[in-house]
Amino acid sequence: MYDIHDLTRQLQKDNGSRIVMLVADGLGGLPLTPGGKTELDTAKTPNLDQLASKSSLGMSVPVLPGITPGSGPGHLGLFGYDPLKYQIGRGVLEALGIDFDLGPNDVAIRGNFCTLDAAGKITDRRAGRIDSDRAAPLCEKLNNIKVPGIEVFVRHVKEYRLVIVLRGEGLGGEVEDTDPQKTGVPPLEPVAKNAGSKRTAEAAAVFLKQAREILKNDAPANFLTLRGIDKKPAIPTFEEVYGLKAGAIAVYPMYRGLARLVGMTILDAGQTLADQCARLEATWRDYSFFFIHFKYTDKCGEDGNFDEKVKKIQDLDAVVPRIMAQRPDVFIVTGDHSTPSKMQSHSWHPVPTLLASDLCRFENVNKFGETTCRGGSLGQFEAKHLMLLALAHAGRLEKFGA
Amino acid sequence: MYDIHDLTRQLQKDNGSRIVMLVADGLGGLPLTPGGKTELDTAKTPNLDQLASKSSLGMSVPVLPGITPGSGPGHLGLFGYDPLKYQIGRGVLEALGIDFDLGPNDVAIRGNFCTLDAAGKITDRRAGRIDSDRAAPLCEKLNNIKVPGIEVFVRHVKEYRLVIVLRGEGLGGEVEDTDPQKTGVPPLEPVAKNAGSKRTAEAAAVFLKQAREILKNDAPANFLTLRGIDKKPAIPTFEEVYGLKAGAIAVYPMYRGLARLVGMTILDAGQTLADQCARLEATWRDYSFFFIHFKYTDKCGEDGNFDEKVKKIQDLDAVVPRIMAQRPDVFIVTGDHSTPSKMQSHSWHPVPTLLASDLCRFENVNKFGETTCRGGSLGQFEAKHLMLLALAHAGRLEKFGA
């Protein structure tokens, strides 16, 4: 119907203001028992609570009601990119997750080591889940493969998983998986889904032929299958669509990768929240937008550890004054999705969101949590609209129409 | 931008869970006086109230804010079919309303008996609103009409209204009405709007020629006009888009027809809520989704009978424990639209909605009604997204994206 970025390209203005978006991964939660409290409602968060009293609150719907997002769609939504429009293949996400800087001529492929029997049939699709110490040197061997006219990069990820990147002009990203999804049959040949990807399929076949020779004595990892073959989608940058110079301060590579996808500069995040705050302070004058990512709320949710998730939220709360000391014009606290400890997984539940600025309608509440955000003045909104609210409160959007 | 069902086709999984959707037709209401209570807020509903304390609540917007739906769009929305995309012609709806099982080669037409004068001009467009006892035998006479190569079905509906179905290969559904919408002029000839409907227009003309002869001595009903000529839209089935085996338990034919449109199996609903509950119990193992329709909330609203609508809501409340005794994984109570007694008609007001499941965020309320649903954690959502929420809470949707 309309494109958000057509609007922001047209309406953006640079007034020198600064926006900080603090993303607590998997922030939203569920009570363990009927009528109980969520992790966030349980946590003692004096700083966020005090901020809530001067902020607008609301609930962010990551994709659509009922749709549980992965990290990719979850973050693209927060960055203002419709996650149903910009879909990211598994190979690309895997490459982002090991900090591989994909270019426009790169095809990214997720590889799985597998075991072949003497007849060339797969007996184990994950090569006995070999450990990283054994798999990493195999990736180094594969990294020496030469395919004429194409650059090849092979990088180990974890255990039996690796990433292969084929770099070259005219390589399409539409090639079928070679993993047959079952044992007792040989791996499939790479097949192009369209004419533009024929060269990619051929390059992959050349790669696999050499790989078979290189790995032949490395059972159980004596071959590999290819999956999620894809190119990076063409995504306009933050600078172009919003006029923002954006810096990302994320400890985990996946989130640096997602930030890189939308053109953010990747800043050294160190290992801790204190490191991240120090980086924010050191680079404050250099950027107009900061994305700070905090992973541990999601991690504890995935582990089903309610109490630990509460503690991680409290850790996050403790650094809020340090961020606010920079006096951002807009400060947002939200999550890319909910990860209720009760479910030990991502979920579709809307995510509590706080937006602090001098131009807020206030809520007359003194707690940040699902209970207060549910009735907040930002209402329940699609995550992809959050950047519009951020820009507006930062004074960075002109009036639409006369 | 996206199609809900492209998502559900991709993300659906069958975990054996069961969903019950209880639709109280026209459930939402209005207070009779400023500051007063709606019908639902007035009703004593101890069972729904107790359920509300363990449920997520929200407000369903049937089509768009301010848009009052008929029964067709109202139900399509609840079933997750965008009512602006899937539009149902009047002839088709009329055929559904008398339990006529339309096939893909059927063109459905709403007929109105009318009165012609000696010159063939219409003097009464509704044939003096003749009663059903006189009209029904006329329909039986018309049912004997033969059109070469085409099957013809004529069924009486009520008073001057009837349904004609033309069945045959290659019959398009785009033919102009023959009702000139005024008296003093002859009925119009059936005119095809496109080449694909030429054969339909010709068949209708043959039908009308014979009808004129058959009815010539039956004044005031000595002819008929044709309106709302249309085919059943191509709608993907519940099974295909959601992976759900759906059974419909509806006393009124219109709602059975709407359920049939989306591929639900029509179960014998008997005449009462008790009959409907008995059917639910008897078929519980056979379906993964049940649509239970309750008409009387709408009927009392249309009659402008506030007190009676309150009573009907209380009747509905009384059967909630019997439904919950089946232990559905997701239980939803909603309406296809509001029918405020004050307006004696359908309205656009959002519809109170309750969703009970083990994966709910709770509301800390102990009443089901407009007042509590307004602030509920499901927020105000488009009806077409309700099925996504139902599937998500039932554990029937995979994560979107990695």
Side-chain angles (χ1 to χ4, degrees), chain B residues 105-339:
Chain B
N105 292 322
D106 291 357
V107 174
I109 305 169
R110 151 84 176 263
N112 281 0
F113 284 115
C114 66
T115 311
L116 300 186
D117 65 14
K121 290 178 180 163
I122 296 177
T123 56
D124 188 324
R125 288 176 52 239
R126 293 180 187 86
R129 293 182 185 272
I130 56 162
D131 62 27
S132 292
D133 288 346
R134 287 189 66 187
L138 302 182
C139 291
E140 284 175 33
K141 287 206 286 182
L142 295 176
N143 194 42
N144 294 320
I145 289 177
K146 307 286 179 214
V147 177
I150 287 168
E151 275 189 280
V152 177
F153 304 84
V154 179
R155 297 285 182 270
H156 184 237
V157 177
K158 201 178 176 186
E159 297 168 354
Y160 60 92
R161 288 154 47 201
L162 60 155
V163 166
I164 302 110
V165 174
L166 305 177
R167 178 174 295 168
E169 298 279 341
L171 293 180
E174 308 271 320
V175 177
E176 303 279 1
D177 290 357
T178 72
D179 182 345
Q181 298 283 340
K182 57 185 173 185
T183 55
V185 296
L188 304 171
E189 286 297 311
V191 175
K193 296 182 198 171
N194 57 36
S197 301
K198 203 154 162 272
R199 208 167 150 239
T200 311
E202 288 165 1
V206 172
F207 173 88
L208 286 172
K209 193 173 170 200
Q210 294 181 53
R212 191 184 286 253
E213 184 62 25
I214 289 170
L215 299 172
K216 67 181 175 191
N217 297 320
D218 289 310
N222 61 358
F223 198 50
L224 76 165
T225 58
L226 309 182
R227 302 173 62 181
I229 302 172
D230 207 356
K231 299 186 73 165
K232 188 173 81 165
I235 298 187
T237 66
F238 245 55
E239 177 126 35
E240 193 235 322
V241 298
Y242 304 132
L244 289 172
K245 217 174 151 222
I249 309 178
V251 173
Y252 277 63
M254 170 77 80
Y255 309 95
R256 288 197 289 269
L258 289 163
R260 200 182 276 119
L261 260 190
V262 297
M264 293 191 200
T265 301
I266 308 305
L267 306 177
D268 181 1
Q271 291 297 321
T272 65
L273 276 170
D275 293 341
Q276 290 176 285
C277 287
R279 183 59 50 200
L280 179 77
E281 289 156 1
T283 58
W284 185 250
R285 310 306 312 172
D286 304 332
Y287 299 92
S288 47
F289 181 93
F290 291 91
F291 159 54
I292 305 177
H293 182 265
F294 182 66
K295 175 69 179 170
Y296 302 98
T297 28
D298 176 62
K299 226 174 161 76
C300 299
E302 294 261 14
D303 291 344
N305 194 335
F306 189 99
D307 294 342
E308 195 60 23
K309 187 174 171 191
V310 168
K311 274 189 207 154
K312 294 301 181 187
I313 291 169
Q314 294 176 174
D315 291 347
L316 193 70
D317 180 73
V319 303
V320 166
R322 196 165 163 190
I323 297 172
M324 291 305 287
Q326 298 300 319
R327 308 182 66 84
D329 298 278
V330 173
F331 177 55
I332 291 171
V333 182
T334 187
D336 55 337
H337 52 75
S338 295
T339 306

Side-chain angles (χ1 to χ4, degrees), chain B residues 29-51:
Chain B
L30 283 175
L32 293 176
T33 52
K37 286 183 174 179
T38 64
E39 296 91 328
L40 180 58
D41 274 342
T42 301
K44 288 188 181 29
T45 52
N47 297 303
L48 286 167
D49 294 352
Q50 205 235 332
L51 202 55

Side-chain angles (χ1 to χ4, degrees), chain A residues 29 68 70 72 342 349-350 374, chain B residues 358-359 361-362 378 388 400 402:
Chain A
T68 297
K342 182 179 176 172
H349 299 89
R374 187 167 69 204
Chain B
D358 278 349
L359 300 179
R361 276 198 187 138
F362 309 111
L378 300 178
L388 295 178
F400 171 67

Side-chain angles (χ1 to χ4, degrees), chain A residues 17-66:
Chain A
S17 59
R18 281 185 177 72
I19 300 166
V20 176
M21 184 185 283
L22 175 60
V23 176
D25 208 299
L27 177 62
L30 282 177
L32 293 177
T33 51
K37 285 182 174 181
T38 65
E39 296 91 329
L40 180 57
D41 273 342
T42 302
K44 288 189 181 28
T45 53
N47 298 303
L48 286 168
D49 295 351
Q50 205 235 334
L51 202 56
S53 71
K54 300 183 291 180
S55 297
S56 291
L57 305 181
M59 281 287 190
S60 168
V61 177
V63 180
L64 282 177

